[in-house]
Amino acid sequence: MAQPEMTPAYTTRIAPSPTGNFHIGTARTAYFNWLAARASGGRFILRIDDTDLARNNGASVDVIHDCLDWLGLIPDAVHRQSDRLDLYHGIAGKLISAGRAVRADNGAILLADGAAGHWHDLISGNQAPSGKVQDLARNQVLIKADGMPVYHFASVVDDADMGINLVLRGIDHMTNTYRHTAIYDALGHPLPHFAHLGLITLGGKKMSKRDAAASLLSYRDAGVDRDAMLNFLLRMGWGPSCDDKSMALIDRDRATGLFLQSGRMRASPATFDPQKLASFDRKYKAKAQRPSP
């Protein structure tokens, strides 16, 4: 990851929706955010994005906590968007008063002539909005007619309020980032750093929650070593600057020391290779059985 001249203490977040299994891709994003925070002396926040009332599943909230506990990625704070509805409405009201948002006839609140801005990606470099994304950003809905905030608005309000200064997520969110720059501009809040990772693919296609291989807890339940899983996740989207035999195994403590200054994240797709995971699993289990020197 191309770092700013002076690496700040990153406050990062993982923001899963409680709508099903905890995806391998979500686990990788959580690990990378945890590493960026710990390596820089910052904070790692879990925010549960549970404003989609029709799809929320209470059991899935427990799954999120179970997965992070298994991986040892303990957050410094936990928030739920459903507890923050008053904040979103209060911010939307201020935007209306400032002329940066309008209320539609059906009660929805829309951004008023928002403009997507230029931004820099720590992996892919400078990004400029196209006409298509400007259309998406211009009059985007902030609060729906039913009073619930749209994902884009709630996400930006929370990131600004929580002091998130590194948004690290999958490359499939890049279009969202353009929309978010327009909301940041309306709020008068500086942009955080952004980094967008390449997708995880399975069989030549983007790995889906519906793929049997995608559920993280299935690996825990099958007895996969935790450190093997973390090493596997790390190498799907990050590589050390000097990738020699000494880098064959990189546990969590070592990854923390290497992640920001001695390696790079990638925007290219990463292939999910179950044989590679099995190899890591054998090596970590063998290592655990060796007597201490």
Side-chain angles (χ1 to χ4, degrees), residues 24-267:
I24 283 285
T26 306
R28 180 189 65 168
T29 301
Y31 188 30
F32 281 31
N33 275 280
W34 184 92
L35 284 170
R38 294 293 176 261
S40 64
R43 301 178 72 238
F44 170 63
I45 293 173
L46 168 62
R47 188 179 72 227
I48 298 173
D49 287 7
D50 60 348
T51 57
D52 188 342
L53 300 180
R55 298 179 63 221
N56 285 346
N57 181 335
S60 295
V61 176
D62 295 333
V63 168
I64 292 167
H65 288 289
D66 287 347
C67 287
L68 293 180
D69 287 347
W70 178 52
L71 295 176
L73 308 179
I74 307 305
D76 296 297
V78 179
H79 301 278
R80 294 183 68 148
Q81 286 190 328
S82 58
D83 294 332
R84 298 168 60 82
L85 299 181
D86 288 346
L87 172 66
Y88 310 136
H89 281 271
I91 296 295
K94 290 179 180 179
L95 291 178
I96 291 174
S97 297
R100 300 304 304 268
V102 296
R103 189 179 297 276
D105 291 340
N106 65 356
I109 299 174
L110 289 72
L111 195 63
D113 296 321
H118 292 68
W119 52 278
H120 180 78
D121 191 281
L122 295 176
I123 302 174
S124 301
N126 294 330
Q127 306 295 318
S130 65
K132 181 177 181 180
V133 296
Q134 287 290 14
D135 290 341
L136 291 173
R138 185 168 294 113
N139 299 118
Q140 59 182 299
V141 175
L142 306 178
I143 304 287
K144 295 181 287 187
D146 64 3
M148 295 302 290
V150 170
Y151 155 76
H152 305 287
F153 182 58
S155 181
V156 172
V157 168
D158 282 341
D159 286 347
D161 183 64
M162 296 174 188
I164 304 300
N165 60 0
L166 172 61
V167 175
L168 196 168
R169 54 192 176 191
I171 203 167
D172 50 337
H173 282 278
M174 285 190 85
T175 299
N176 292 339
T177 299
Y178 287 109
R179 300 175 72 147
H180 296 176
T181 61
I183 300 174
Y184 276 108
D185 178 65
L187 295 176
H189 195 280
L191 296 179
H193 297 288
F194 292 105
H196 291 81
L197 290 162
L199 298 178
I200 296 176
T201 62
L202 179 66
K205 299 183 296 184
K206 175 186 174 182
M207 186 179 240
S208 163
K209 277 188 175 183
R210 293 182 293 275
D211 291 317
S215 173
L216 182 73
L217 283 186
S218 66
Y219 298 97
R220 181 202 66 178
D221 296 344
V224 170
D225 183 270
R226 180 188 76 174
D227 290 323
M229 175 57 73
L230 288 172
N231 204 149
F232 179 64
L233 295 173
L234 179 70
R235 297 311 298 260
M236 286 196 297
W238 179 92
S241 302
C242 181
D243 199 358
D244 56 22
K245 290 183 179 180
S246 69
M247 298 292 172
L249 295 182
I250 305 175
D251 63 18
R252 191 178 62 174
D253 288 343
R254 194 174 178 207
T256 303
L258 294 170
F259 187 71
L260 292 179
Q261 303 299 338
S262 301
R264 292 182 64 86
M265 291 188 288
R266 296 186 291 268

